Amino acid sequence: MRLKLVPEETNWDFFKYARFTLGASVVAVILSLVAWLAIGLNFGIDFQGGTTVRTEASAPVDVAAYRDAMEPLGLGDVVISEVFDPSFAADQHVAMVRIAAQEGQEGLSAENLSAVQDALNAVAPGIKFTSVESVGPKVSGELIQTAVIAVAASLAAILFYIWLRFEWQFSVGAVAALFHDVVLTIGIFSVLQIQFDLATIAAILTIIGYSINDTVVIFDRLRENLIKYKKRDLREVMNISVNETLSRTVMTSGTTLVALLALLILGGDVIRGFVFAIFWGVIVGTYSSVFVAKNVVLFLGVKRDWSKPDKTEGNQFANIDA
Amino acid sequence: MLQIPLWKRLFIWALVAVGLALALPNLFYARVEQANDARAAIETLGATPERNAAAENWPSWLPSGLVNLGLDLRGGAHLLAEVQVADVYEQRMDGFWPDLRDALRDARDEVGPIRRADQGGPELKVRLSDAAALPRAMEVARSLARPVASLSGAGATDIEVAGEETADGAMLTVRLSEAERAATDDRTVRQSLEIIRRRIDEVGTREPTIQRQGQDRILIQVPGIGSAEELKSLIGTTAQLTFHPVAGRTTDAAASAGPGEVIYPSIDEPDTFYVLERTPVVSGENLVDSQPSFDQNGRPAVTFRFNPTGARAFGDYTAENIGSPFAIVLDEEVISAPVIQDHIPGGSGIITGNFTIEESTELAVLLRAGALPAELTFLEERTVGPELGQDSIDAGRIACLVAFVAVLALMWASYGLFGLFANIALLINVGLIFGLLSMIGATLTLPGIAGIVLTIGMAVDANVLVFERIREEMKTAKGPSRAISLGYERALSAIVDANITTFIIAGILFMLGSGPVRGFAVTLGIGIITSVFTAIFVTRLIIVTWFDRARPKKIEV
């Protein structure tokens, strides 16, 4: 008995609810942009500068006490949050202390750092500082720039490659789908206020990579079917293509999501944000390959005659009687 | 049509075998690491019974390359330092002032009285009481300019001279030219890099990364060090350069030094020790500059220059001790012990010896490397404790195993026998990833582990594409052999296109990312290569081999 995630033969009409699915995508994109602008991203120190100290103590974390201890140091904005993870031992209590960038300093000075450590040690004796990271405002500014360049360069490179291998309509469709994935990921990070740092950018690029992979497989089949079914309606050929590749789409997303789920639950809290972004992106990316990319291509139309080159090309006056 | 020539089969299996052999040491990480360390120690410090025993823990004919663990897994400190290159401009201008002053004084008749008017800083300002003397003063200043020793600045000189008339006379301004600044910046950063490397190598931690980044930045990553603070103080310590009179030379490390004497080993001659007077004649604080050069016979040599205090002490000493050796000592190691040929007045001298050009350049760097030439500002500091790193490794390992088992089960349940074939390929795939990572000496980071897990999920994709295609081809009933062969043929374009796009992304990540992100890009990129290789070649070879043996009438995919 074989496991079949998708029935052997499917003949679903993926355009039946096109108005609804595309509408939902547009609404989701708009909501994400609104969330991004209204709530804003919870930037990590990579992009904002500042210092994070990870503490580990055997006594439970008392956030209020930690805050009171740090208050007299006058370090400005201090955020303390407790970290939970299934992989922690019973007497392992972890917290993240985040200190805003100090005026006129690139990093947290040694005196400030030891003052923080002494203060916390007074509240929670035997506390350990398992990681201390400090990023200056100068670097964080550059990191933002690099991140934006990375995402833009990825989209441009894909636009170009798909245009090279397919037609320009396909590359616009693919990039529209990718844009959709990126914006939705930023949206969920705004809504859930998950820390947005350099790793998140890496995750977004991975999402772009995964989503384009999915889209290209469908496009590849579409190209093949467009030659095979010359007489059929574009919409119909698209449906055939998606149905034919559906079981692969679901299977690959399935294995990837299963692997990621293991990492999300068991991989520890340090990379949870990163893994969550990819996990979310795989779901959104699979959806967009099926429901967004090809709709854009349908909207733009495709040259149907692939077999022979257009004879009048470059000879626009050929039809004119002299 | 399901024929694969023998040489091709052998070649594929050979590649797999090599890849897996390269991955093998990672299974015995601690043992191989100890053996490697011991071999390195034998190489540099000589053999001891313990080292030999440790080295034999891992046979030398086996590959011994390991995947390096990144800071986030091993624990350690990371610093991004910016070299304040402008500091050096000020020193240069201060150094230039005596020359300029003397030249202007020599031309006193035409220039008139002068006075230095700046308070330090990158520009040297000289006030002239007579505005009419400005052109002549500028001429004198320009005559002191030297050509810039760089390729880009050909024809340029090292200083720029400007002048303006003021209410009560004129102001002469001298600053470093654009070309000289670029050359100086470059030299300053390289010098800082060299000093930092020396400081860290002395502590002997494993695999430190010390890299120049961009124009004026240095990235320093040291695994296993307690904290970024510790690393900073380590870098900040100045090197102790001293010049001592030599009392004798010995090959016995245990020789006892007389009163007021010390024994230091030679830096490059093994088993040679120098007996030196404890009190140095001159110390490194008095050294101003040192450059590689050539002696009158055209052999590589190193020049050096002292400040006035050092120059006086050195001049007196050399005048009294012509013919006897003196030792140049850096951090209690004798760099060289040349014989004093002549009285050396004026505080500059030349060190000759059996140098190659590289050695003389290096020695000049070492001599200058007494103290950092410019201040460092730390833009980024990260410390990861070893416990956190170990927790991450443990969590990552469990997650990998669970992900692996889940994917294997899913593939088997969906594709039966063919799923098992794909699973064998997947196992080989993970082995190959580690093999390649070890071969190129890549660094595995926490996001890198995520990259491997992601690859496990995505690696089956190429197989899925093929299997789905074979299923489709079977519907048109051309017989199993034809279906398999067509399935591979027709799935190829999708596999190639899909993986090239992902590979482009990995490339962009690698170019723009740093540290952990770069580690992720590397595992993702390598994962793509190995998964395409295993899907197209290995799985196919397994299927074809099975098909040849079993000759099934019907296949079920």
Side-chain angles (χ1 to χ4, degrees), chain A residues 192-269:
Chain A
L192 299 180
Q193 287 290 295
I194 304 169
Q195 185 160 307
F196 193 92
D197 50 25
L198 216 49
T200 318
I201 294 293
I204 286 182
L205 291 186
T206 313
I207 293 167
I208 292 178
Y210 182 86
S211 173
I212 193 64
N213 187 314
D214 237 20
T215 308
V216 163
V217 170
I218 296 177
F219 279 1
D220 185 79
R221 184 55 68 98
L222 179 58
R223 178 169 58 183
E224 193 184 321
N225 284 341
L226 281 173
I227 300 170
K228 201 160 151 194
Y229 308 111
K230 285 207 182 69
K231 297 282 172 278
R232 294 214 201 170
D233 184 32
L234 178 59
R235 194 178 136 135
E236 208 180 325
V237 181
M238 281 187 171
N239 253 334
I240 296 173
S241 309
V242 175
N243 275 301
E244 280 176 355
T245 48
L246 190 65
S247 111
R248 173 266 161 194
T249 306
V250 173
M251 185 69 198
T252 300
S253 301
T255 52
T256 310
L257 285 177
V258 162
L260 286 172
L261 195 65
L263 200 58
L264 193 63
I265 298 171
L266 304 167
D269 68 288

Coordinates of all heavy atoms in Angstrom, one line a residue, chain A residues 192-269:
Chain A
L192 N 4.0 39.0 14.3 CA 4.4 38.2 15.4 C 5.6 38.8 16.2 O 5.9 38.3 17.2 CB 4.7 36.8 15.0 CG 3.6 36.0 14.3 CD1 4.1 34.6 13.9 CD2 2.4 35.9 15.3
Q193 N 6.1 39.9 15.6 CA 7.2 40.6 16.3 C 8.4 39.6 16.6 O 9.0 39.7 17.7 CB 6.8 41.3 17.6 CG 6.0 42.5 17.3 CD 6.8 43.7 16.7 OE1 7.7 44.2 17.4 NE2 6.5 44.0 15.5
I194 N 8.7 38.8 15.6 CA 9.8 37.9 15.8 C 11.1 38.7 15.4 O 11.0 39.6 14.5 CB 9.7 36.7 14.8 CG1 8.4 35.9 15.1 CG2 10.9 35.7 15.0 CD1 8.1 34.9 14.1
Q195 N 12.1 38.4 16.1 CA 13.3 39.2 15.8 C 13.8 39.1 14.4 O 14.0 38.0 13.9 CB 14.5 38.8 16.8 CG 15.7 39.7 16.6 CD 16.5 39.6 17.9 OE1 16.1 39.8 19.0 NE2 17.8 39.3 17.6
F196 N 14.0 40.2 13.8 CA 14.4 40.3 12.4 C 15.9 40.6 12.3 O 16.3 41.7 12.6 CB 13.6 41.3 11.7 CG 13.6 41.3 10.2 CD1 12.7 40.5 9.4 CD2 14.6 42.0 9.5 CE1 12.8 40.5 8.1 CE2 14.7 41.9 8.1 CZ 13.7 41.2 7.4
D197 N 16.7 39.7 11.9 CA 18.2 39.9 11.9 C 18.8 39.4 10.6 O 18.1 39.1 9.6 CB 18.9 39.4 13.1 CG 18.5 37.9 13.4 OD1 18.2 37.3 12.4 OD2 18.6 37.5 14.5
L198 N 20.1 39.3 10.6 CA 20.8 38.9 9.4 C 20.4 37.5 8.9 O 20.2 37.3 7.7 CB 22.3 39.0 9.7 CG 23.2 39.4 8.5 CD1 22.7 40.7 7.9 CD2 24.6 39.5 9.0
A199 N 20.2 36.7 9.9 CA 19.8 35.3 9.6 C 18.4 35.3 8.9 O 18.2 34.5 8.0 CB 19.7 34.4 10.8
T200 N 17.6 36.2 9.3 CA 16.2 36.3 8.6 C 16.4 36.6 7.1 O 15.7 36.1 6.3 CB 15.4 37.4 9.3 OG1 15.5 37.2 10.7 CG2 13.9 37.1 8.9
I201 N 17.4 37.5 6.8 CA 17.6 37.8 5.4 C 18.1 36.6 4.7 O 17.6 36.3 3.6 CB 18.7 39.0 5.3 CG1 18.2 40.3 5.9 CG2 19.1 39.2 3.9 CD1 17.0 40.9 5.2
A202 N 19.0 35.8 5.3 CA 19.4 34.6 4.7 C 18.2 33.7 4.5 O 18.1 33.0 3.4 CB 20.4 33.9 5.6
A203 N 17.3 33.7 5.4 CA 16.1 32.8 5.3 C 15.3 33.3 4.1 O 14.8 32.5 3.3 CB 15.3 32.9 6.6
I204 N 15.1 34.6 4.0 CA 14.3 35.2 2.9 C 15.0 34.8 1.5 O 14.3 34.4 0.6 CB 14.2 36.7 3.0 CG1 13.2 37.0 4.1 CG2 13.7 37.3 1.7 CD1 13.0 38.5 4.3
L205 N 16.3 34.8 1.5 CA 16.9 34.4 0.2 C 16.7 33.0 0.0 O 16.5 32.5 -1.2 CB 18.4 34.7 0.3 CG 18.8 36.2 0.3 CD1 20.3 36.4 0.2 CD2 18.2 36.9 -0.9
T206 N 16.7 32.2 1.0 CA 16.5 30.7 0.8 C 15.1 30.5 0.3 O 14.8 29.6 -0.5 CB 16.7 30.0 2.2 OG1 17.9 30.4 2.8 CG2 16.7 28.5 2.0
I207 N 14.1 31.3 0.9 CA 12.7 31.2 0.5 C 12.7 31.5 -1.0 O 12.0 30.8 -1.8 CB 11.8 32.1 1.3 CG1 11.8 31.7 2.7 CG2 10.5 32.2 0.6 CD1 11.2 32.8 3.6
I208 N 13.4 32.5 -1.4 CA 13.4 32.9 -2.8 C 13.9 31.7 -3.7 O 13.3 31.3 -4.7 CB 14.2 34.1 -3.1 CG1 13.6 35.4 -2.4 CG2 14.5 34.4 -4.6 CD1 14.4 36.6 -2.6
G209 N 15.0 31.1 -3.2 CA 15.5 29.9 -3.9 C 14.6 28.8 -3.9 O 14.4 28.1 -5.0
Y210 N 13.9 28.5 -2.8 CA 13.0 27.4 -2.8 C 11.8 27.6 -3.7 O 11.4 26.8 -4.5 CB 12.5 27.1 -1.4 CG 11.6 25.9 -1.3 CD1 12.1 24.6 -1.2 CD2 10.2 26.0 -1.5 CE1 11.3 23.5 -1.2 CE2 9.4 24.9 -1.5 CZ 9.9 23.7 -1.4 OH 9.1 22.6 -1.4
S211 N 11.2 28.8 -3.6 CA 10.0 29.1 -4.3 C 10.2 29.1 -5.8 O 9.4 28.6 -6.6 CB 9.5 30.5 -3.8 OG 8.4 30.9 -4.6
I212 N 11.4 29.6 -6.2 CA 11.7 29.7 -7.6 C 11.9 28.3 -8.2 O 11.4 27.9 -9.3 CB 12.9 30.6 -7.9 CG1 13.0 30.9 -9.4 CG2 14.2 30.0 -7.5 CD1 11.9 31.7 -10.0
N213 N 12.4 27.4 -7.4 CA 12.6 26.0 -7.7 C 11.3 25.4 -8.0 O 11.1 24.8 -9.1 CB 13.2 25.3 -6.4 CG 13.6 23.9 -6.7 OD1 12.9 23.2 -7.2 ND2 14.8 23.6 -6.2
D214 N 10.3 25.6 -7.2 CA 9.0 25.1 -7.4 C 8.3 25.7 -8.6 O 7.7 25.0 -9.4 CB 8.1 25.6 -6.1 CG 7.5 24.4 -5.4 OD1 8.0 23.3 -5.7 OD2 6.6 24.6 -4.7
T215 N 8.5 27.0 -8.8 CA 7.8 27.7 -9.9 C 8.4 27.2 -11.2 O 7.7 26.9 -12.2 CB 8.0 29.2 -9.8 OG1 7.6 29.6 -8.5 CG2 7.3 29.9 -10.8
V216 N 9.8 27.0 -11.2 CA 10.4 26.6 -12.5 C 9.9 25.2 -12.9 O 9.8 24.9 -14.1 CB 12.0 26.6 -12.3 CG1 12.6 25.8 -13.3 CG2 12.4 28.0 -12.3
V217 N 9.7 24.3 -12.0 CA 9.3 23.0 -12.3 C 7.9 23.0 -13.0 O 7.7 22.4 -14.1 CB 9.2 22.1 -11.1 CG1 8.5 20.8 -11.4 CG2 10.6 21.8 -10.5
I218 N 7.0 23.9 -12.5 CA 5.7 24.0 -13.2 C 5.9 24.7 -14.6 O 5.3 24.3 -15.6 CB 4.8 24.8 -12.3 CG1 4.5 24.1 -11.0 CG2 3.5 25.1 -13.0 CD1 3.6 24.8 -10.0
F219 N 6.7 25.7 -14.6 CA 7.0 26.4 -15.9 C 7.6 25.5 -16.9 O 7.2 25.5 -18.1 CB 7.9 27.6 -15.7 CG 7.3 28.8 -15.2 CD1 5.9 28.8 -14.9 CD2 8.0 30.0 -14.9 CE1 5.3 30.0 -14.4 CE2 7.4 31.1 -14.5 CZ 6.1 31.1 -14.2
D220 N 8.5 24.6 -16.5 CA 9.1 23.7 -17.4 C 8.1 22.8 -18.0 O 8.1 22.5 -19.2 CB 10.1 22.9 -16.6 CG 11.0 22.0 -17.5 OD1 11.9 22.5 -18.1 OD2 10.7 20.8 -17.5
R221 N 7.2 22.3 -17.2 CA 6.1 21.4 -17.7 C 5.2 22.2 -18.6 O 4.7 21.7 -19.6 CB 5.3 20.8 -16.5 CG 4.3 19.8 -16.9 CD 4.8 18.7 -17.8 NE 5.7 17.9 -17.0 CZ 5.4 16.7 -16.5 NH1 4.2 16.3 -16.6 NH2 6.3 16.0 -15.8
L222 N 4.9 23.4 -18.2 CA 4.0 24.3 -19.0 C 4.7 24.5 -20.4 O 4.0 24.4 -21.5 CB 3.9 25.6 -18.3 CG 3.0 26.7 -19.0 CD1 1.6 26.1 -19.3 CD2 2.9 27.9 -18.2
R223 N 5.9 24.7 -20.5 CA 6.6 24.9 -21.7 C 6.5 23.7 -22.6 O 6.2 23.8 -23.8 CB 8.1 25.2 -21.5 CG 8.9 25.4 -22.7 CD 10.3 25.9 -22.4 NE 11.0 25.1 -21.5 CZ 12.2 25.3 -21.0 NH1 12.8 26.5 -21.4 NH2 12.9 24.5 -20.2
E224 N 6.7 22.5 -22.0 CA 6.6 21.3 -22.7 C 5.2 21.1 -23.2 O 5.0 20.7 -24.4 CB 6.9 20.1 -21.7 CG 7.2 18.8 -22.4 CD 7.4 17.8 -21.3 OE1 8.1 18.1 -20.3 OE2 6.9 16.6 -21.5
N225 N 4.2 21.3 -22.4 CA 2.8 21.1 -22.8 C 2.3 22.1 -23.8 O 1.4 21.8 -24.6 CB 1.9 21.2 -21.5 CG 2.0 19.9 -20.7 OD1 2.4 18.9 -21.3 ND2 1.6 19.9 -19.5
L226 N 2.9 23.3 -23.8 CA 2.5 24.3 -24.8 C 2.8 23.8 -26.2 O 2.1 24.1 -27.1 CB 3.2 25.6 -24.5 CG 2.5 26.5 -23.4 CD1 3.4 27.7 -23.1 CD2 1.1 26.9 -23.7
I227 N 3.9 23.1 -26.2 CA 4.3 22.5 -27.6 C 3.4 21.3 -27.9 O 3.0 21.1 -29.0 CB 5.8 22.1 -27.5 CG1 6.7 23.3 -27.2 CG2 6.2 21.5 -28.9 CD1 8.1 23.0 -26.9
K228 N 3.2 20.5 -26.8 CA 2.4 19.3 -27.0 C 0.9 19.6 -27.4 O 0.4 19.0 -28.3 CB 2.4 18.5 -25.7 CG 2.1 17.1 -25.8 CD 2.7 16.4 -24.6 CE 1.9 15.2 -24.2 NZ 2.3 14.8 -22.8
Y229 N 0.3 20.5 -26.7 CA -1.1 20.8 -27.0 C -1.2 22.2 -27.6 O -1.6 23.2 -27.0 CB -1.9 20.8 -25.7 CG -1.8 19.6 -24.9 CD1 -1.1 19.6 -23.6 CD2 -2.3 18.4 -25.3 CE1 -1.0 18.5 -22.9 CE2 -2.2 17.2 -24.5 CZ -1.5 17.3 -23.3 OH -1.4 16.2 -22.5
K230 N -0.8 22.3 -28.9 CA -0.8 23.6 -29.5 C -2.2 24.2 -29.6 O -2.3 25.5 -29.6 CB -0.2 23.4 -31.0 CG 1.3 23.2 -31.0 CD 1.9 23.7 -32.3 CE 3.3 23.4 -32.3 NZ 3.6 22.0 -32.4
K231 N -3.2 23.4 -29.8 CA -4.5 24.0 -30.1 C -5.3 24.4 -28.9 O -6.3 25.1 -29.0 CB -5.3 23.0 -30.9 CG -4.7 22.7 -32.3 CD -5.0 23.8 -33.3 CE -4.2 23.6 -34.6 NZ -2.8 24.0 -34.5
R232 N -4.8 23.9 -27.7 CA -5.7 24.1 -26.5 C -5.5 25.5 -26.0 O -4.4 26.2 -26.1 CB -5.4 23.1 -25.5 CG -5.8 21.7 -25.9 CD -6.3 20.9 -24.7 NE -6.2 19.5 -25.0 CZ -6.4 18.6 -24.0 NH1 -6.6 18.9 -22.8 NH2 -6.3 17.3 -24.3
D233 N -6.5 25.9 -25.2 CA -6.5 27.2 -24.6 C -5.3 27.3 -23.5 O -5.0 26.3 -22.9 CB -7.8 27.3 -23.9 CG -8.0 28.6 -23.2 OD1 -7.5 29.6 -23.8 OD2 -8.7 28.7 -22.2
L234 N -4.7 28.4 -23.4 CA -3.6 28.6 -22.5 C -3.9 28.2 -21.0 O -3.2 27.5 -20.3 CB -3.1 30.0 -22.5 CG -1.9 30.4 -21.6 CD1 -0.7 29.6 -21.8 CD2 -1.6 31.9 -21.7
R235 N -5.2 28.6 -20.7 CA -5.6 28.3 -19.3 C -5.7 26.8 -19.1 O -5.3 26.3 -18.0 CB -7.0 29.0 -19.2 CG -7.5 29.1 -17.8 CD -8.9 29.8 -17.9 NE -9.8 29.1 -17.1 CZ -10.6 29.7 -16.2 NH1 -10.7 31.0 -16.2 NH2 -11.4 29.0 -15.4
E236 N -6.2 26.1 -20.1 CA -6.4 24.7 -20.0 C -5.0 24.0 -19.9 O -4.8 23.1 -19.1 CB -7.1 24.2 -21.3 CG -8.0 23.0 -21.1 CD -8.6 22.6 -22.4 OE1 -9.0 23.6 -23.1 OE2 -8.7 21.5 -22.7
V237 N -4.1 24.5 -20.7 CA -2.7 23.9 -20.7 C -2.1 24.1 -19.3 O -1.4 23.2 -18.8 CB -1.9 24.5 -21.8 CG1 -0.5 23.8 -21.8 CG2 -2.5 24.3 -23.1
M238 N -2.3 25.3 -18.8 CA -1.8 25.6 -17.4 C -2.4 24.6 -16.4 O -1.6 24.1 -15.6 CB -2.1 27.0 -17.0 CG -1.2 28.0 -17.7 SD -1.5 29.6 -17.0 CE -0.1 30.5 -17.8
N239 N -3.6 24.4 -16.5 CA -4.3 23.5 -15.5 C -3.7 22.1 -15.7 O -3.4 21.4 -14.7 CB -5.8 23.4 -15.8 CG -6.5 24.1 -14.7 OD1 -6.0 24.2 -13.6 ND2 -7.7 24.7 -15.0
I240 N -3.5 21.6 -16.9 CA -2.9 20.3 -17.1 C -1.6 20.2 -16.5 O -1.2 19.3 -15.8 CB -2.8 20.0 -18.6 CG1 -4.2 19.9 -19.3 CG2 -2.1 18.7 -18.9 CD1 -4.2 19.8 -20.8
S241 N -0.8 21.3 -16.7 CA 0.6 21.3 -16.2 C 0.7 21.2 -14.7 O 1.4 20.5 -14.1 CB 1.3 22.5 -16.7 OG 1.2 22.7 -18.1
V242 N -0.2 22.1 -14.1 CA -0.2 22.1 -12.6 C -0.6 20.7 -12.1 O -0.1 20.2 -11.1 CB -1.1 23.2 -12.1 CG1 -1.1 23.1 -10.5 CG2 -0.5 24.5 -12.5
N243 N -1.7 20.1 -12.7 CA -2.1 18.9 -12.2 C -1.1 17.8 -12.4 O -0.9 16.9 -11.5 CB -3.4 18.4 -13.0 CG -4.7 19.1 -12.4 OD1 -4.9 18.8 -11.2 ND2 -5.4 19.9 -13.1
E244 N -0.4 17.8 -13.5 CA 0.6 16.8 -13.7 C 1.8 16.9 -12.7 O 2.4 15.9 -12.3 CB 1.2 16.9 -15.2 CG 0.3 16.3 -16.2 CD 0.8 16.5 -17.6 OE1 1.8 17.2 -17.8 OE2 0.2 16.0 -18.5
T245 N 2.1 18.1 -12.4 CA 3.3 18.3 -11.4 C 2.8 18.3 -10.0 O 3.6 18.4 -9.1 CB 4.0 19.6 -11.7 OG1 3.1 20.6 -11.8 CG2 4.8 19.4 -13.0
L246 N 1.5 18.3 -9.8 CA 1.0 18.5 -8.4 C 1.6 17.5 -7.4 O 2.0 17.9 -6.3 CB -0.5 18.4 -8.4 CG -1.2 18.8 -7.1 CD1 -0.9 20.3 -6.9 CD2 -2.7 18.6 -7.1
S247 N 1.6 16.2 -7.8 CA 2.1 15.2 -6.8 C 3.5 15.5 -6.4 O 3.9 15.3 -5.3 CB 1.8 13.8 -7.3 OG 2.9 13.1 -7.6
R248 N 4.3 15.9 -7.4 CA 5.7 16.3 -7.1 C 5.8 17.5 -6.2 O 6.5 17.5 -5.2 CB 6.5 16.5 -8.4 CG 7.9 17.1 -8.2 CD 7.9 18.6 -8.3 NE 9.1 19.1 -7.7 CZ 9.3 20.4 -7.3 NH1 8.3 21.2 -7.5 NH2 10.4 20.8 -6.8
T249 N 5.0 18.5 -6.5 CA 5.0 19.7 -5.7 C 4.7 19.4 -4.2 O 5.4 19.8 -3.3 CB 3.9 20.7 -6.2 OG1 4.1 20.9 -7.6 CG2 3.9 22.0 -5.5
V250 N 3.6 18.6 -4.0 CA 3.2 18.3 -2.7 C 4.3 17.4 -2.0 O 4.6 17.6 -0.8 CB 1.8 17.6 -2.7 CG1 1.5 17.1 -1.3 CG2 0.8 18.5 -3.2
M251 N 4.8 16.4 -2.7 CA 5.8 15.5 -2.2 C 7.0 16.3 -1.7 O 7.5 16.1 -0.6 CB 6.2 14.5 -3.2 CG 7.1 13.4 -2.7 SD 6.2 12.3 -1.5 CE 7.7 11.6 -0.7
T252 N 7.6 17.1 -2.6 CA 8.8 17.9 -2.2 C 8.5 18.8 -1.1 O 9.3 18.9 -0.1 CB 9.3 18.6 -3.4 OG1 9.6 17.7 -4.4 CG2 10.6 19.4 -3.1
S253 N 7.4 19.6 -1.1 CA 7.1 20.5 0.0 C 7.0 19.6 1.2 O 7.4 20.1 2.3 CB 5.8 21.2 -0.3 OG 5.9 21.9 -1.4
G254 N 6.3 18.5 1.1 CA 6.1 17.6 2.3 C 7.4 17.2 2.9 O 7.6 17.4 4.1
T255 N 8.3 16.7 2.1 CA 9.6 16.2 2.7 C 10.4 17.4 3.3 O 10.9 17.3 4.4 CB 10.5 15.5 1.7 OG1 10.7 16.3 0.6 CG2 9.9 14.2 1.3
T256 N 10.3 18.5 2.6 CA 11.1 19.7 3.1 C 10.4 20.2 4.5 O 11.1 20.5 5.4 CB 11.1 20.8 2.1 OG1 11.5 20.3 0.9 CG2 12.0 21.9 2.5
L257 N 9.1 20.2 4.5 CA 8.4 20.7 5.7 C 8.7 19.8 6.9 O 8.8 20.2 8.0 CB 6.9 20.9 5.4 CG 6.6 22.2 4.6 CD1 5.1 22.2 4.3 CD2 7.0 23.4 5.3
V258 N 8.6 18.5 6.6 CA 8.9 17.5 7.6 C 10.3 17.7 8.2 O 10.5 17.7 9.5 CB 8.7 16.1 7.1 CG1 9.4 15.0 8.0 CG2 7.2 15.7 6.9
A259 N 11.3 17.9 7.3 CA 12.6 18.1 7.8 C 12.7 19.4 8.6 O 13.4 19.4 9.7 CB 13.6 18.1 6.6
L260 N 12.1 20.4 8.1 CA 12.1 21.7 8.8 C 11.4 21.6 10.2 O 11.8 22.3 11.1 CB 11.6 22.8 7.9 CG 12.4 23.2 6.8 CD1 11.7 24.2 5.9 CD2 13.7 23.9 7.3
L261 N 10.3 20.9 10.2 CA 9.6 20.8 11.4 C 10.4 20.2 12.5 O 10.4 20.6 13.7 CB 8.3 19.9 11.2 CG 7.2 20.0 12.2 CD1 6.6 21.4 12.3 CD2 6.1 19.0 12.0
A262 N 11.2 19.2 12.1 CA 12.1 18.5 13.1 C 13.1 19.6 13.7 O 13.3 19.7 14.9 CB 12.9 17.4 12.5
L263 N 13.6 20.4 12.8 CA 14.5 21.4 13.2 C 13.8 22.5 14.0 O 14.4 23.1 15.0 CB 15.1 22.1 11.9 CG 16.5 22.8 12.1 CD1 17.5 21.9 12.7 CD2 16.9 23.3 10.7
L264 N 12.6 22.8 13.6 CA 11.9 23.9 14.3 C 11.6 23.5 15.8 O 11.8 24.3 16.7 CB 10.5 24.1 13.6 CG 9.8 25.4 14.0 CD1 10.5 26.6 13.7 CD2 8.4 25.4 13.3
I265 N 11.3 22.2 16.0 CA 10.9 21.8 17.3 C 12.2 21.5 18.1 O 12.4 21.9 19.3 CB 10.0 20.5 17.3 CG1 8.7 20.9 16.6 CG2 9.8 20.0 18.7 CD1 7.8 19.7 16.3
L266 N 13.2 20.8 17.5 CA 14.3 20.2 18.2 C 15.6 21.0 18.1 O 16.6 20.7 18.8 CB 14.5 18.8 17.8 CG 13.4 17.8 17.9 CD1 13.6 16.5 17.2 CD2 13.1 17.5 19.4
G267 N 15.6 21.9 17.1 CA 16.9 22.6 16.8 C 17.4 23.6 17.7 O 18.4 24.2 17.5
G268 N 16.7 23.9 18.8 CA 17.1 24.9 19.8 C 16.6 26.3 19.4 O 16.2 26.5 18.3
D269 N 16.7 27.1 20.4 CA 16.1 28.4 20.3 C 16.9 29.4 19.5 O 16.4 30.4 19.0 CB 15.7 29.0 21.6 CG 17.0 29.4 22.4 OD1 17.7 28.5 22.8 OD2 17.4 30.6 22.5

